[in-house]
Amino acid sequence: MKVTVDEDKCCGAGTCVMVAPDVFDQREDDGVVVLLDVQPTADLHESVREAANMCPAAAIALDEQS
Ligand code: SF4
């Protein structure tokens, strides 16, 4: 799995950070998402999918084939 985030779309809601804190963080100044792990291990995939589904800005894209 390969994860990408669109910083321009992100509205800083922080949902992804709550759901998958090993993969996502937020910038301290404006709350925009910071991607910590581009290719998370298999044990994290479920939470990453959940984070992508819950993101209110649809700013998280997943490539399941990578
Ligand atoms: S859930 Fe979406 S909008 Fe919220 S911080 Fe994460 S990427 Fe940004």
Side-chain angles (χ1 to χ4, degrees), residues 5-7 9-17 24-26 31-34 51-52 54-60:
V5 294
D6 187 334
E7 293 181 3
K9 280 189 189 171
C10 174
C11 61
T15 313
C16 57
V17 182
F24 304 102
D25 199 357
Q26 285 176 284
V32 167
V33 66
V34 175
M54 290 174 72
C55 174
I60 302 169

Side-chain angles (χ1 to χ4, degrees), residues 5-45:
V5 294
D6 187 334
E7 293 181 3
D8 294 332
K9 280 189 189 171
C10 174
C11 61
T15 313
C16 57
V17 182
M18 283 188 280
V19 174
D22 291 326
V23 180
F24 304 102
D25 199 357
Q26 285 176 284
R27 292 204 300 239
E28 285 204 6
D29 49 347
D30 57 7
V32 167
V33 66
V34 175
L35 184 58
L36 300 176
D37 192 350
V38 175
Q39 287 195 298
T41 50
D43 57 311
L44 297 173
H45 288 185

